Amino acid sequence: MPFVTDGDREMKAKILLFAIFALVGCQSLNDTRGNGEELTFISRNSVDEVSQCILVKWQNEKDIFGVPYGAFIQPFPDGKTVYVNGNYFIADVTSSGINKTTVKLYQLVSKDRWIKITNSCL
């Protein structure tokens, strides 16, 4: 009977989690928008101010392995989209009138801290 250490179990657990994240990581932005939980926020700050704030704060977040998610920004109709590797979290930041910016946050996995981070940029 082979000897199994806690390190072996830990490694197998990490490999399993990596495989799950790799499969979920195949989501496109539109898949996440269609399948994820959606929350809407309103701000008086500009699209640029809100999207840059979200980008910087999301770049500082780390996954369960301590690796930064990797946040990116790209153009979106009437605004910008901020998203992380794997498209687990997406924020569509759009202008919705004079001095009014709308943020739609999509999450594949509901995480209160991502809601708090996004809300802190409003």
Side-chain angles (χ1 to χ4, degrees), residues 66-117:
V67 177
Y69 274 95
F72 307 94
I73 195 167
Q74 68 180 29
F76 186 74
D78 295 321
K80 297 183 180 184
T81 295
V82 182
Y83 60 99
V84 298
N85 281 332
N87 303 325
Y88 302 113
F89 307 99
I90 299 170
D92 289 333
V93 184
T94 57
S95 176
S96 51
I98 298 172
N99 296 326
K100 188 174 176 188
T101 297
T102 300
V103 178
K104 288 196 175 183
L105 174 65
Y106 302 91
Q107 305 180 92
L108 284 180
V109 180
S110 183
K111 299 273 188 172
D112 286 340
R113 82 173 182 217
W114 290 86
I115 294 169
K116 289 177 186 172
I117 292 168

Side-chain angles (χ1 to χ4, degrees), residues 41-58 73 80 82 91-94 100-104 117-122:
F41 305 95
I42 303 295
S43 174
R44 292 184 188 162
N45 295 324
S46 71
V47 168
D48 288 336
E49 290 172 312
V50 174
S51 60
Q52 286 297 317
C53 178
I54 292 171
L55 176 68
V56 169
K57 289 189 176 190
W58 283 14
I73 195 167
K80 297 183 180 184
V82 182
D92 289 333
V93 184
T94 57
K100 188 174 176 188
T101 297
T102 300
V103 178
K104 288 196 175 183
I117 292 168
T118 302
N119 203 28
S120 73
C121 290
L122 302 180

